[in-house]
Amino acid sequence: LGAPIPAGVEWQRALKGVWASKWTDRAVSSRRQMGVPEDNLVLAVLVQPLAFASYAFVIHTRSPMAGANKEDALVEVVVGLGESLVSNSPGRALSASVGPAAGGAIEVHTYPSKPTGVFTPEGGTHIFRSDSNGEDLEGFAGAGLYDSITVAPCPHRPVAYASEPLVFDAAFRNKLLRRLFDLGRLVEANFNGQPQDIEGAVLKDGSLVVLQSRPQV
């Protein structure tokens, strides 16, 4: 898709690692607990160039928080790539409820505090992403059970929150949260209004990229 893996790059380890993640103890025990036959779970691998992201985000187009306004979205943002957002690494993401532009409020629940961020290697790389049918199997939510692996390791660096605009620049933060709310509504409309969980990135030039979207459960 316009971004071939360069010749000589050892990508096979990443591919095999994603395939093998179907058989981790956690994945196998989860399927057994839910009564999902092994042959019913199939795993594809998506290969994508890894974005040079300033931030990663998740948009829940309809907030799952107790007592939330039905029109609110819940938006989460971290510095760097999404690995630190979806993993159980220490610290918190920026988390905020965002209402519609016409009078909708922005309420910050937590400020970002994850001590380290994950970043794209300077020369770039590709990621082999797991894509299972687990979300489509009745009674089985398979999100997060299977691995996504980069060809080249991604550096982990401390995040300098003393100069981070997500923390200290309210105008910047609110503008970004509003853009993400609007993006969520566009994606939701593309799926006939069905609420979505959307993962994506904010690139270095400020543009937004949607990496994947799935029905909210």
PDB file of all heavy atoms in Angstrom, residues 28-41:
ATOM      1  N   VAL A  28      -5.448 -18.574  25.405  1.00  0.00           N
ATOM      2  CA  VAL A  28      -6.051 -19.912  25.430  1.00  0.00           C
ATOM      3  C   VAL A  28      -7.037 -20.036  26.582  1.00  0.00           C
ATOM      4  O   VAL A  28      -8.158 -20.533  26.421  1.00  0.00           O
ATOM      5  CB  VAL A  28      -4.952 -20.989  25.536  1.00  0.00           C
ATOM      6  CG1 VAL A  28      -5.567 -22.364  25.798  1.00  0.00           C
ATOM      7  CG2 VAL A  28      -4.107 -21.019  24.266  1.00  0.00           C
ATOM      8  N   SER A  29      -6.639 -19.566  27.768  1.00  0.00           N
ATOM      9  CA  SER A  29      -7.535 -19.687  28.921  1.00  0.00           C
ATOM     10  C   SER A  29      -8.799 -18.845  28.737  1.00  0.00           C
ATOM     11  O   SER A  29      -9.885 -19.242  29.182  1.00  0.00           O
ATOM     12  CB  SER A  29      -6.806 -19.283  30.202  1.00  0.00           C
ATOM     13  OG  SER A  29      -6.420 -17.929  30.169  1.00  0.00           O
ATOM     14  N   SER A  30      -8.670 -17.693  28.074  1.00  0.00           N
ATOM     15  CA  SER A  30      -9.840 -16.851  27.828  1.00  0.00           C
ATOM     16  C   SER A  30     -10.833 -17.567  26.918  1.00  0.00           C
ATOM     17  O   SER A  30     -12.046 -17.557  27.174  1.00  0.00           O
ATOM     18  CB  SER A  30      -9.410 -15.523  27.209  1.00  0.00           C
ATOM     19  OG  SER A  30     -10.528 -14.720  26.920  1.00  0.00           O
ATOM     20  N   ARG A  31     -10.346 -18.197  25.868  1.00  0.00           N
ATOM     21  CA  ARG A  31     -11.246 -18.921  24.963  1.00  0.00           C
ATOM     22  C   ARG A  31     -11.901 -20.104  25.675  1.00  0.00           C
ATOM     23  O   ARG A  31     -13.100 -20.362  25.497  1.00  0.00           O
ATOM     24  CB  ARG A  31     -10.484 -19.376  23.717  1.00  0.00           C
ATOM     25  CG  ARG A  31     -10.042 -18.245  22.810  1.00  0.00           C
ATOM     26  CD  ARG A  31      -9.600 -18.737  21.438  1.00  0.00           C
ATOM     27  NE  ARG A  31      -8.433 -19.610  21.490  1.00  0.00           N
ATOM     28  CZ  ARG A  31      -7.178 -19.187  21.475  1.00  0.00           C
ATOM     29  NH1 ARG A  31      -6.908 -17.885  21.444  1.00  0.00           N
ATOM     30  NH2 ARG A  31      -6.166 -20.037  21.494  1.00  0.00           N
ATOM     31  N   ARG A  32     -11.128 -20.811  26.462  1.00  0.00           N
ATOM     32  CA  ARG A  32     -11.690 -21.969  27.180  1.00  0.00           C
ATOM     33  C   ARG A  32     -12.749 -21.528  28.179  1.00  0.00           C
ATOM     34  O   ARG A  32     -13.803 -22.167  28.319  1.00  0.00           O
ATOM     35  CB  ARG A  32     -10.570 -22.738  27.877  1.00  0.00           C
ATOM     36  CG  ARG A  32      -9.680 -23.506  26.906  1.00  0.00           C
ATOM     37  CD  ARG A  32      -8.552 -24.222  27.620  1.00  0.00           C
ATOM     38  NE  ARG A  32      -7.737 -24.977  26.682  1.00  0.00           N
ATOM     39  CZ  ARG A  32      -6.593 -25.584  27.001  1.00  0.00           C
ATOM     40  NH1 ARG A  32      -6.149 -25.518  28.257  1.00  0.00           N
ATOM     41  NH2 ARG A  32      -5.911 -26.248  26.090  1.00  0.00           N
ATOM     42  N   GLN A  33     -12.466 -20.435  28.883  1.00  0.00           N
ATOM     43  CA  GLN A  33     -13.415 -19.935  29.870  1.00  0.00           C
ATOM     44  C   GLN A  33     -14.746 -19.540  29.218  1.00  0.00           C
ATOM     45  O   GLN A  33     -15.810 -19.736  29.805  1.00  0.00           O
ATOM     46  CB  GLN A  33     -12.814 -18.735  30.591  1.00  0.00           C
ATOM     47  CG  GLN A  33     -13.705 -18.175  31.708  1.00  0.00           C
ATOM     48  CD  GLN A  33     -13.046 -17.017  32.427  1.00  0.00           C
ATOM     49  OE1 GLN A  33     -11.929 -16.624  32.106  1.00  0.00           O
ATOM     50  NE2 GLN A  33     -13.736 -16.458  33.398  1.00  0.00           N
ATOM     51  N   MET A  34     -14.670 -18.982  28.002  1.00  0.00           N
ATOM     52  CA  MET A  34     -15.878 -18.542  27.310  1.00  0.00           C
ATOM     53  C   MET A  34     -16.470 -19.601  26.397  1.00  0.00           C
ATOM     54  O   MET A  34     -17.473 -19.365  25.725  1.00  0.00           O
ATOM     55  CB  MET A  34     -15.570 -17.274  26.500  1.00  0.00           C
ATOM     56  CG  MET A  34     -15.083 -16.105  27.344  1.00  0.00           C
ATOM     57  SD  MET A  34     -16.217 -15.657  28.677  1.00  0.00           S
ATOM     58  CE  MET A  34     -17.667 -15.170  27.748  1.00  0.00           C
ATOM     59  N   GLY A  35     -15.849 -20.795  26.364  1.00  0.00           N
ATOM     60  CA  GLY A  35     -16.381 -21.881  25.554  1.00  0.00           C
ATOM     61  C   GLY A  35     -16.248 -21.664  24.058  1.00  0.00           C
ATOM     62  O   GLY A  35     -17.085 -22.136  23.279  1.00  0.00           O
ATOM     63  N   VAL A  36     -15.187 -20.964  23.639  1.00  0.00           N
ATOM     64  CA  VAL A  36     -14.961 -20.699  22.217  1.00  0.00           C
ATOM     65  C   VAL A  36     -14.049 -21.782  21.647  1.00  0.00           C
ATOM     66  O   VAL A  36     -12.887 -21.899  22.079  1.00  0.00           O
ATOM     67  CB  VAL A  36     -14.324 -19.312  22.005  1.00  0.00           C
ATOM     68  CG1 VAL A  36     -14.001 -19.081  20.531  1.00  0.00           C
ATOM     69  CG2 VAL A  36     -15.257 -18.216  22.518  1.00  0.00           C
ATOM     70  N   PRO A  37     -14.523 -22.605  20.709  1.00  0.00           N
ATOM     71  CA  PRO A  37     -13.662 -23.633  20.107  1.00  0.00           C
ATOM     72  C   PRO A  37     -12.463 -22.995  19.409  1.00  0.00           C
ATOM     73  O   PRO A  37     -12.575 -21.911  18.824  1.00  0.00           O
ATOM     74  CB  PRO A  37     -14.591 -24.322  19.092  1.00  0.00           C
ATOM     75  CG  PRO A  37     -15.978 -24.028  19.571  1.00  0.00           C
ATOM     76  CD  PRO A  37     -15.901 -22.662  20.189  1.00  0.00           C
ATOM     77  N   GLU A  38     -11.308 -23.669  19.480  1.00  0.00           N
ATOM     78  CA  GLU A  38     -10.082 -23.108  18.908  1.00  0.00           C
ATOM     79  C   GLU A  38     -10.226 -22.772  17.430  1.00  0.00           C
ATOM     80  O   GLU A  38      -9.739 -21.750  16.951  1.00  0.00           O
ATOM     81  CB  GLU A  38      -8.916 -24.087  19.113  1.00  0.00           C
ATOM     82  CG  GLU A  38      -8.598 -24.399  20.566  1.00  0.00           C
ATOM     83  CD  GLU A  38      -8.106 -23.189  21.351  1.00  0.00           C
ATOM     84  OE1 GLU A  38      -7.911 -22.110  20.753  1.00  0.00           O
ATOM     85  OE2 GLU A  38      -7.930 -23.318  22.574  1.00  0.00           O
ATOM     86  N   ASP A  39     -10.918 -23.629  16.682  1.00  0.00           N
ATOM     87  CA  ASP A  39     -11.042 -23.408  15.240  1.00  0.00           C
ATOM     88  C   ASP A  39     -11.953 -22.240  14.897  1.00  0.00           C
ATOM     89  O   ASP A  39     -11.968 -21.769  13.755  1.00  0.00           O
ATOM     90  CB  ASP A  39     -11.558 -24.671  14.544  1.00  0.00           C
ATOM     91  CG  ASP A  39     -10.520 -25.787  14.534  1.00  0.00           C
ATOM     92  OD1 ASP A  39      -9.334 -25.480  14.770  1.00  0.00           O
ATOM     93  OD2 ASP A  39     -10.899 -26.950  14.298  1.00  0.00           O
ATOM     94  N   ASN A  40     -12.735 -21.749  15.879  1.00  0.00           N
ATOM     95  CA  ASN A  40     -13.639 -20.622  15.606  1.00  0.00           C
ATOM     96  C   ASN A  40     -12.914 -19.281  15.644  1.00  0.00           C
ATOM     97  O   ASN A  40     -13.438 -18.284  15.156  1.00  0.00           O
ATOM     98  CB  ASN A  40     -14.790 -20.599  16.616  1.00  0.00           C
ATOM     99  CG  ASN A  40     -15.812 -21.674  16.356  1.00  0.00           C
ATOM    100  OD1 ASN A  40     -15.561 -22.614  15.602  1.00  0.00           O
ATOM    101  ND2 ASN A  40     -16.974 -21.567  16.991  1.00  0.00           N
ATOM    102  N   LEU A  41     -11.747 -19.270  16.248  1.00  0.00           N
ATOM    103  CA  LEU A  41     -10.978 -18.031  16.367  1.00  0.00           C
ATOM    104  C   LEU A  41      -9.907 -18.013  15.286  1.00  0.00           C
ATOM    105  O   LEU A  41      -9.023 -18.874  15.267  1.00  0.00           O
ATOM    106  CB  LEU A  41     -10.347 -17.923  17.757  1.00  0.00           C
ATOM    107  CG  LEU A  41      -9.755 -16.590  18.243  1.00  0.00           C
ATOM    108  CD1 LEU A  41      -8.467 -16.219  17.514  1.00  0.00           C
ATOM    109  CD2 LEU A  41     -10.777 -15.473  18.113  1.00  0.00           C
TER     110      LEU A  41
END
